[in-house]
Amino acid sequence: MTTMPDAPDRADEFTMLTVVRHPLIQHKLTLLRDRTTPTKIFKELVDEIAMLMAYEATSDLTLEPVEVETPLESTTGQRVSGKKLTLVPILRAGLGMVEGILRLIPSARVGHIGLYRNHDTLEPVDYYFKVPGDAAERDFLLLDPMLATGGSAASAVASLKRAGATRIRFLCIVAAPEGVRRLTDAHQDVQIYTASLDRGLNASSYIVPGLGDAGDRLFGTR
Ligand code: PRP
Ligand code: URA
């Protein structure tokens, strides 16, 4: 059966959701959805999409003036102000988004949150947490390609907030309306960026049409 992948009309329901509709992202996302795309290409596509999404998600970072000597004279340039941005992948699949974003923001710090969905209850199970100590002073990009029921993302945001974080953006590649609702209900201050708001969840809480199990497709573990 052929279906339209996304629910563009539903995106307007969510004020904290940005669907990044850049043509290059949409082209790469279609390759990512393709069940015949092999692991190596899948990994490259996640990396490239993450970099392009990060470009959009950082478009409102604060700048400060800085003096710079060109070969000809001094001038005033601008640099991103404040402490280094921190990327926080949710293990495992979020790891696939880190390298692409680091190419764009090489000075970013990288924390990690270990979570997996219990297959029976679908609730997230925590197993690892490490972020820089001065979390209150940093901007965080929380990374996971999939926002399905939203349980994992909501739990990861709660962990970051317990560590002191106040400025958190969530970057995913495919989101279900159910996940966006759960995350925004739990954390109204978190801006969500996705390449697609898909139709919904199936009976096993997989996103449809989605792209399958992102972790398995990234790491070849199916
Ligand atoms: C996937 C995905 C998200 C989560 C989304 O991870 O990478 O973390 O599911 O689902 P949710 O929105 O319903 O919580 P998974 O639990 O399969 O872990 P893994 O990739 O480490 O195996
Ligand atoms: N996790 C995935 O990897 N894919 C889904 O569709 C839902 C959760």
Side-chain angles (χ1 to χ4, degrees):
M1 181 179 63
T2 298
T3 57
M4 288 304 287
D6 60 355
D9 43 327
R10 301 192 61 180
D12 298 339
E13 278 176 41
F14 304 110
T15 50
M16 293 304 278
L17 178 71
T18 302
V19 181
V20 186
R21 300 186 195 279
H22 192 287
L24 291 178
I25 294 183
Q26 295 306 316
H27 179 95
K28 289 173 194 292
L29 172 59
T30 302
L31 299 173
L32 204 60
R33 290 188 192 276
D34 187 336
R35 65 187 304 154
T36 67
T37 297
T39 298
K40 177 176 181 294
I41 307 293
F42 190 91
K43 227 184 178 117
E44 289 169 7
L45 289 164
V46 168
D47 176 272
E48 291 163 3
I49 293 172
M51 181 168 72
L52 294 167
M53 303 252 327
Y55 181 75
E56 175 70 25
T58 52
S59 64
D60 61 348
L61 286 181
T62 317
L63 294 169
E64 63 187 11
V66 60
E67 287 304 299
V68 60
E69 292 279 337
T70 79
L72 304 174
E73 61 182 46
S74 312
T75 187
T76 306
Q78 303 203 74
R79 70 175 171 209
V80 175
S81 65
K83 295 237 178 186
K84 305 286 185 249
L85 208 81
T86 304
L87 314 183
V88 182
I90 299 178
L91 308 181
R92 291 175 298 169
L95 286 174
M97 299 174 73
V98 172
E99 288 305 317
I101 302 180
L102 278 177
R103 279 205 299 286
L104 197 64
I105 316 167
S107 60
R109 304 300 191 237
V110 183
H112 294 88
I113 294 182
L115 275 185
Y116 65 87
R117 285 206 306 187
N118 176 301
H119 280 292
D120 299 321
T121 65
L122 296 175
E123 285 306 308
V125 180
D126 266 270
Y127 61 88
Y128 188 76
F129 183 84
K130 184 79 184 173
V131 299
D134 47 2
E137 297 159 52
R138 293 180 183 274
D139 285 280
F140 285 87
L141 299 185
L142 181 61
L143 312 175
D144 194 324
M146 310 306 282
L147 180 61
T149 65
S152 303
S155 164
V157 170
S159 300
L160 281 177
K161 287 184 173 175
R162 275 196 298 277
T166 56
R167 299 192 301 275
I168 304 167
R169 298 160 210 228
F170 181 74
L171 271 66
C172 59
I173 296 179
V174 178
E178 294 87 334
V180 177
R181 188 165 304 107
R182 179 159 173 186
L183 180 54
T184 14
D185 283 352
H187 303 286
Q188 279 142 25
D189 54 329
V190 173
Q191 184 72 37
I192 304 168
Y193 297 86
T194 187
S196 178
L197 181 64
D198 272 20
R199 204 171 66 249
L201 300 175
N202 71 8
S204 310
S205 288
Y206 272 80
I207 300 174
V208 282
L211 48 77
D213 187 307
D216 282 345
R217 293 196 66 188
L218 266 170
F219 298 109
T221 44
R222 174 151 295 278

